[in-house]
Amino acid sequence: MSARDRAVATVLLQLSLTADGAFLGVGLAYVAFRCIRKFFVTSSAIRKIHQLPYSHISDLRSLCSDDKIPVNSSQNCESQSNSQDGGNIVIVRGIVEAQSAVNGQWTNLRGYGNDVIVSHESGEKGVILEQTQTYIYNEWSGILGWTTDLRSLFPTWKEKGSSSIRMVPFVLVEAGKQSAYVHVNMEGSRHPLPLITVYRHVHPINAFPSTFLQALFGNKYPVGLLDEEKILPLGKDVTVVGICSFRDGIPEIKSCKDLPYFLSEMTKEQMISDLSFESKVLMWGGLIFGTLGIAVLTYSVARNWVKWKAWRQQREARRQRDDTDNSSQVVATEEESADVPDGELCVICLTRRRRSAFIPCGHLVCCQRCALSVEREVSPKCPVCRQSIRSSVRIYDS
């Protein structure tokens, strides 16, 4: 973990523990909510995929015209509104082939110039080519452990890289039947693709003049460039899950955004098994995080309630003490302004009238202010008999 990541983790930990873990409880509850929400979405996808027909490409025309197909499931897909002929969601498995190889009447669409794509490095042919370049960074701890303090003062290099993807129109061909094919429409699809890596190489990067300063202050600096090529090769056996419709009498499948798969190497049973495992993980994750969130929030509420009650009691005690002090000051002012005989003066201050009697001895020898001062001592004793006292009582003249 880099120094900046450690600093961010420390700040997040301190923030999560504020208010006796209230923020942590809210965060756990939010994670639980996301898990439960994803669980319902995944469970819905499992039901839809389980109900979908798993057919051969040659049977698509009869399946899409069959009234027994669950058409309602396709109406929930956002991509259904983009299909001019409607259609039904189906699952078919076939072999990837270039569009121009199956029928001479097919023409390249949307300006794709070539029939297939050839990898620049490996020479393999395919219909989708993804090229990525990613910088590999190294990090030094810095001189005298300055990394943690100075990383916040100097900007670091952002994760740099480039990615490009090319594709040509392609179809899925049924094994053994070259004339049975379905066109795959990739427009608007955000689903992961079953690409295979055909080239991977790391190129070293020469040091820049600023590399030494970056290393000195603990910043990341690039040491290599990872060059990768991934391709969807011709002849690959894949499964497609999507909305099947007909355009000019030719079957076409496009993605459904409500389903987690479009092109995949897995079969229907493997998809259901994979989604079932994911739904179990999400369910238990939601229950665990939800329970922890409720427990942390309950503890936080209880702790803050106890603190609030203690604070209120302290405030009330402080208010009562201030009222007592204010009344004592008023009484003392009145007594000081009056003419007090020598036999009635306080034995401690010798300026105010005797007004408080000690309990249990009962001696009336102190004014109220001095009596309160005696009570607040560690071991209060009567100034006359030296007997331990518990409190004092104000004596009023009739």
Side-chain angles (χ1 to χ4, degrees):
M1 181 182 292
S2 64
R4 170 164 292 184
D5 294 338
R6 291 195 298 268
V8 172
T10 303
V11 172
L12 291 178
L13 179 61
Q14 293 177 352
L15 180 62
S16 63
L17 295 179
T18 55
D20 293 316
F23 287 97
L24 178 60
V26 172
L28 291 174
Y30 176 74
V31 173
F33 170 75
R34 291 296 300 271
C35 288
I36 296 300
R37 182 180 179 183
K38 187 67 180 299
F39 165 75
F40 285 111
V41 172
T42 305
S43 300
S44 176
I46 293 175
R47 290 192 297 269
K48 290 179 181 179
I49 294 178
H50 184 74
Q51 296 174 359
L52 296 180
Y54 194 6
S55 62
H56 299 287
I57 297 177
S58 56
D59 299 331
L60 286 179
R61 187 176 299 276
S62 60
L63 284 174
C64 291
S65 61
D66 191 352
D67 295 335
K68 297 181 180 180
I69 302 300
V71 181
N72 293 332
S73 62
S74 65
Q75 295 176 355
N76 298 326
C77 295
E78 297 180 15
S79 58
Q80 169 70 16
S81 60
N82 298 327
S83 177
Q84 72 180 67
D85 297 328
N88 298 296
I89 305 180
V90 296
I91 300 180
V92 295
R93 191 169 182 86
I95 301 173
V96 176
E97 190 59 73
Q99 179 173 292
S100 58
V102 295
N103 194 330
Q105 296 179 355
W106 282 84
T107 58
N108 292 330
L109 303 178
R110 293 181 295 275
Y112 293 114
N114 301 323
D115 296 336
V116 295
I117 300 176
V118 181
S119 171
H120 300 291
E121 302 295 340
S122 64
E124 294 191 33
K125 297 180 180 180
V127 293
I128 299 178
L129 175 64
E130 182 181 23
Q131 295 176 308
T132 57
Q133 289 184 334
T134 307
Y135 282 102
I136 301 175
Y137 289 87
N138 191 15
E139 183 179 8
W140 187 41
S141 60
I143 297 178
L144 300 178
W146 292 355
T147 301
T148 305
D149 298 330
L150 298 180
R151 282 292 293 271
S152 59
L153 302 178
F154 296 90
T156 59
W157 284 36
K158 297 181 179 179
E159 298 292 338
K160 295 183 179 180
S162 61
S163 177
S164 63
I165 185 169
R166 296 170 52 202
M167 63 179 65
V168 296
F170 66 98
V171 297
L172 292 185
V173 181
E174 185 174 338
K177 296 182 180 180
Q178 192 71 13
S179 59
Y181 57 87
V182 58
H183 172 59
V184 180
N185 188 347
M186 297 294 299
E187 183 178 357
S189 174
R190 300 292 182 180
H191 297 79
L193 300 174
L195 305 179
I196 61 174
T197 302
V198 295
Y199 175 76
R200 176 179 294 173
H201 184 70
V202 178
H203 306 279
I205 296 179
N206 296 328
F208 297 100
S210 60
T211 301
F212 173 74
L213 294 177
Q214 289 179 323
L216 180 66
F217 295 115
N219 286 4
K220 296 187 295 184
Y221 56 93
V223 295
L225 180 65
L226 178 61
D227 193 1
E228 288 184 308
E229 282 190 358
K230 296 181 180 180
I231 197 170
L232 181 61
L234 298 176
K236 185 177 181 64
D237 195 13
V238 298
T239 301
V240 60
V241 184
I243 301 176
C244 179
S245 60
F246 285 84
R247 177 178 297 179
D248 298 330
I250 300 173
E252 179 185 77
I253 292 183
K254 64 188 309 181
S255 63
C256 176
K257 295 182 180 180
D258 291 342
L259 297 178
Y261 300 107
F262 180 39
L263 291 176
S264 175
E265 297 178 332
M266 296 184 293
T267 61
K268 176 181 177 180
E269 291 75 15
Q270 291 173 336
M271 292 180 185
I272 295 176
S273 177
D274 184 67
L275 290 176
S276 299
F277 176 77
E278 181 180 354
S279 65
K280 291 180 181 178
V281 173
L282 291 171
M283 180 188 67
W284 285 108
L287 291 177
I288 293 174
F289 284 113
T291 303
L292 291 176
I294 293 175
V296 173
L297 287 175
T298 303
Y299 170 79
S300 176
V301 170
R303 287 280 298 176
N304 285 279
W305 173 257
V306 172
K307 288 183 178 180
W308 180 79
K309 290 180 64 178
W311 172 80
R312 189 177 64 175
Q313 292 176 357
Q314 292 178 358
R315 188 184 64 174
E316 185 68 21
R318 190 182 304 110
R319 186 182 63 81
Q320 293 178 358
R321 185 168 60 251
D322 293 340
D323 292 342
T324 302
D325 292 342
N326 292 334
S327 62
S328 299
Q329 292 178 0
V330 172
V331 172
T333 303
E334 294 177 353
E335 291 178 347
E336 289 176 357
S337 62
D339 188 11
V340 182
D342 293 341
E344 297 181 7
L345 288 176
C346 173
V347 298
I348 296 179
C349 65
L350 298 176
T351 58
R352 291 179 289 273
R353 189 185 298 273
R354 302 176 183 180
R355 290 297 186 185
S356 296
F358 292 112
I359 299 175
C361 66
H363 286 127
L364 179 61
V365 292
C366 293
C367 64
Q368 187 173 5
R369 180 183 296 183
C370 294
L372 292 175
S373 300
V374 173
E375 288 182 31
R376 294 170 182 173
E377 294 179 355
V378 178
S379 56
K381 294 182 180 180
C382 176
V384 176
C385 64
R386 307 305 296 171
Q387 181 181 351
S388 298
I389 61 174
R390 296 192 301 269
S391 62
S392 63
V393 61
R394 176 77 162 79
I395 304 300
Y396 295 91
D397 294 334
S398 59

